[in-house]
Amino acid sequence: MQIEDIWPTEIRLKKDRRGLVVAFDTGETFDLSSEYLRVMSPSAEVQGHSPDERKTVPGKINVEIMKLEPVGNYAIKIDFDDMHDTGIYSWQTLAELGRQHDALWARYLSELQQQGMSREPAPVPGA
């Protein structure tokens, strides 16, 4: 089966709104945290318009998914509680994020460290 032919059999928002379980007709099932989905958003805001423009997004350890919206019959739009809502997650993107999770997550953690950033939100001044 080509990745282009992949089709979800389940997309379930976890009760705590901190992740999605996505199952495909390939038999693969992925448990994707909301933090991972947010920092890997396919939006131009995160990915830029070329690999050189990709941004490392810190401080999203506590982000939650507020809403899922279907986009045609090929994707979902995820609205996060930090007001990020511009990423369109195609079935292929979700499968790739699941299949490449360990490598992408390791790269993200390395980028955070190299840039002196944290998964924790920045402290609120005066709080």
Side-chain angles (χ1 to χ4, degrees):
M1 178 174 285
Q2 302 272 336
I3 193 161
E4 294 80 25
D5 297 333
I6 199 163
W7 191 259
T9 56
E10 176 184 22
I11 299 174
R12 181 173 34 91
L13 178 60
K14 291 184 166 189
K15 288 182 184 178
D16 65 3
R17 299 189 164 277
R18 301 212 22 163
L20 290 180
V21 174
V22 185
F24 292 98
D25 58 2
T26 59
E28 297 167 294
T29 300
F30 302 110
D31 188 339
L32 306 172
S33 74
S34 54
E35 178 187 15
Y36 177 67
L37 290 165
R38 173 61 179 89
V39 302
M40 296 295 162
S41 172
S43 69
E45 176 186 333
V46 174
Q47 297 301 323
H49 296 286
S50 72
D52 295 348
E53 294 179 5
R54 191 174 58 78
K55 293 181 177 59
T56 301
V57 180
K60 300 302 176 185
I61 195 168
N62 298 319
V63 74
E64 294 182 5
I65 295 169
M66 300 305 294
K67 184 167 69 169
L68 299 174
E69 296 178 61
V71 177
N73 63 356
Y74 68 93
I76 56 172
K77 182 169 96 63
I78 302 176
D79 293 359
F80 295 93
D81 68 354
D82 67 352
M83 302 304 134
H84 179 75
D85 64 358
T86 58
I88 303 294
Y89 295 76
S90 69
W91 309 146
Q92 292 79 21
T93 296
L94 289 169
E96 289 168 14
L97 287 172
R99 289 175 179 161
Q100 298 175 25
H101 179 277
D102 293 348
L104 291 172
W105 188 247
R107 181 186 76 189
Y108 171 69
L109 294 177
S110 175
E111 289 172 353
L112 282 177
Q113 184 176 21
Q114 289 170 5
Q115 297 176 39
M117 297 176 172
S118 172
R119 292 174 59 203
E120 296 292 334
V124 177

